[in-house]
């Protein structure tokens, strides 16, 4: 039996059949730019976005916290400038002979406090040593103390604070009380007492003192971050599925609680460099023959009126170094903190 023909509609010349052979609405375009064609284009666009993951069909997946932070850092001029400056400081601290060919311990008293001259752009200090060479070689001690002290304080504070925040109980209370005791010790006064009895001329007593007084700050940050992270749903789900404490701490809690520790440690690195220079200036930090910006600033302070160049260059190098690490820490903080985006 032949199918009945549909009558021609005034708005549908040519007898277009809007109903398919099975009673379903046809999705074929009319070619006239009407409402049906517009709806069809929108549906195809939504379907394409669902398949490709974005309007451009790039298939880009959602970025994690670290990839998103790196994506933002690469476009932050503060991060780029500070990173390049820090990289330069690290390179010259390892290989100072790249830009300074002289010996920082070779002095000539006949040139004491002389100003700039060819081959010696920063002049000479009181002992007749080249200020430029000593300024370049002074980066090694400051960068070494800053990096070693930061790594030590971050590791010790993260482990103790993370364990206390994850397990709680009497260990958490004990750590909090011990940290309060260390917070009550004045840093400079503690350095004068602790380092005055040390006779070593290496950087390690200064590093040990900074770690001793620096870990409570990192521990408190790590403790709070771990307490926040362990309350998330994915940690509770892992616990319900039978995951042990070690697996939850290492696989689920620590990766999501380490960001604040990195930010605080990066900013603290510049503070530790300034602290080393302060202790060396007071005569209890690094000692000769170690070349340090703090030692040079201490020697130049009495002669600031007669030979200001002796103080200007090591103090400027110290200020630029501390500023670079603080700028780097601020950039990392802005990238890792979702509330600041």
């Amino acid at each position: 039996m032949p199918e009945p023909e549909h009558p021609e509609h005034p708005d549908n010349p040519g007898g277009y059949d809007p109903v398919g052979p099975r009673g379903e609405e046809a999705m074929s375009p009319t070619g006239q730019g009407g409402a049906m064609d517009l709806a069809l284009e929108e549906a195809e666009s939504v379907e394409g976005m669902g398949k490709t993951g974005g309007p451009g069909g790039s298939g880009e997946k959602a970025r994690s916290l670290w990839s998103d932070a790196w994506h933002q850092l690469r476009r932050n001029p503060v991060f780029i400038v500070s990173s390049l400056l820090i990289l330069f400081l690290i390179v010259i601290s390892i290989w100072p002979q790249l830009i300074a060919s002289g010996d920082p311990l070779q002095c000539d008293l006949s040139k004491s406090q002389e100003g700039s001259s060819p081959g010696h752009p920063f002049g000479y200090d009181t002992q007749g040593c080249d200020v430029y060479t000593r300024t370049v070689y002074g980066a090694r001690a400051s960068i070494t103390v800053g990096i070693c002290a930061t790594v030590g304080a971050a590791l010790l504070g993260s482990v103790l604070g993370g364990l206390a925040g994850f397990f709680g109980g009497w260990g958490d209370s004990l750590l909090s009380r011990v940290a309060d005791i260390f917070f009550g010790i004045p840093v400079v006064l503690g350095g004068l007492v602790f380092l005055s009895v040390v006779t070593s001329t290496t950087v390690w007593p200064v590093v040990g003192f900074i770690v001793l007084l620096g870990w409570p700050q990192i521990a408190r940050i790590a403790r709070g971050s771990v307490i926040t992270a362990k309350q998330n749903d994915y940690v509770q789900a892992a616990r319900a599925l039978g995951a042990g404490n070690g697996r939850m701490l290492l696989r689920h809690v620590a990766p999501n609680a380490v960001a604040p520790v990195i930010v605080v440690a990066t900013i603290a690195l510049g503070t530790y460099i300034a602290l080393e220079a302060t202790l060396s200036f007071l005569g209890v930090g690094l000692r000769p023959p170690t070349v340090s910006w703090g030692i040079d600033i201490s020697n130049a302070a009495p002669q600031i009126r007669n030979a200001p160049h002796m103080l200007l260059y090591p103090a400027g190098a110290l200020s630029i170094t501390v500023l670079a690490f603080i700028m780097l820490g601020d950039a990392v903080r802005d990238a890792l903190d979702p509330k600041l985006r």
Side-chain angles (χ1 to χ4, degrees):
M1 181 177 180
E3 297 182 359
E5 298 181 358
H6 295 280
E8 183 175 315
H9 194 274
D11 296 335
N12 185 21
Y16 169 70
D17 186 3
V19 181
R22 298 183 181 179
E24 300 175 353
E25 182 178 358
M27 294 299 295
S28 302
T30 63
Q32 299 181 3
M36 183 178 294
D37 288 347
L38 181 59
L40 181 60
E41 292 175 359
E42 292 178 351
E44 292 176 349
S45 176
V46 172
E47 182 181 2
M49 292 176 62
K51 293 180 179 179
T52 60
S58 60
E60 182 181 358
K61 297 181 181 179
R63 293 191 294 262
S64 64
L65 172 65
W66 300 104
S67 60
D68 191 26
W70 175 243
H71 179 78
Q72 182 176 352
L73 286 173
R74 289 182 301 175
R75 289 158 177 77
N76 190 345
V78 175
F79 172 78
I80 295 175
V81 173
S82 59
S83 298
L84 292 177
L85 183 57
I86 291 172
L87 179 61
F88 171 74
L89 291 171
I90 293 176
V91 170
I92 67 171
S93 65
I94 299 175
W95 301 288
Q97 62 274 13
L98 293 177
I99 60 174
S101 58
D103 185 355
L105 301 178
Q106 183 178 0
C107 306
D108 185 359
L109 284 175
S110 63
K111 300 180 179 180
S112 176
Q113 299 185 11
E114 288 187 2
S116 176
S117 62
H120 305 277
F122 293 175
Y124 299 87
D125 63 6
T126 304
Q127 301 297 324
C129 302
D130 184 29
V131 176
Y132 171 77
T133 304
R134 292 187 62 85
T135 301
V136 173
Y137 275 81
R140 173 178 295 177
S142 297
I143 297 296
T144 301
V145 170
I147 293 179
C148 293
T150 302
V151 172
L155 290 177
L156 182 60
S158 298
V159 172
L160 295 180
L163 293 176
F166 185 79
F167 293 103
W170 64 269
D172 186 16
S173 301
L174 178 62
L175 178 72
S176 299
R177 301 293 77 80
V178 172
D180 291 339
I181 294 175
F182 279 95
F183 275 122
I185 301 176
V187 178
V188 177
L189 179 60
L192 290 173
V193 174
F194 180 83
L195 295 175
S196 60
V197 298
V198 178
T199 59
S200 175
T201 59
T202 63
V203 300
W204 303 116
V206 180
V207 171
F209 168 75
I210 295 177
V211 171
L212 183 64
L213 293 188
W215 71 266
Q217 180 187 15
I218 304 294
R220 180 164 292 184
I221 298 297
R223 174 184 175 274
S225 184
V226 168
I227 291 176
T228 302
K230 75 175 185 178
Q231 298 174 355
N232 292 328
D233 294 337
Y234 55 85
V235 178
Q236 302 301 326
R239 186 186 300 275
L241 292 175
N245 290 330
R247 181 180 179 85
M248 286 189 298
L249 183 60
L250 296 178
R251 294 289 300 273
H252 302 289
V253 176
N256 296 280
V258 72
V261 175
I262 294 177
V263 173
V264 174
T266 306
I267 298 177
L269 201 157
T271 305
Y272 294 159
I273 293 177
L275 177 58
E276 176 274 318
T278 302
L279 295 175
S280 299
F281 177 84
L282 296 175
V284 297
L286 300 180
R287 295 179 173 88
T290 303
V291 181
S292 169
W293 290 331
I295 296 176
D296 289 348
I297 293 174
S298 177
N299 294 333
Q303 307 297 332
I304 187 173
R305 293 185 178 181
N306 299 328
H309 65 276
M310 293 171 48
L311 178 65
L312 176 63
Y313 296 109
L318 175 63
S319 301
I320 293 174
T321 303
V322 174
L323 178 62
F325 281 104
I326 293 178
M327 291 170 55
L328 179 66
D330 289 340
V332 174
R333 179 199 59 192
D334 296 341
L336 291 178
D337 191 351
K339 298 179 182 179
L340 299 178
R341 299 177 187 174

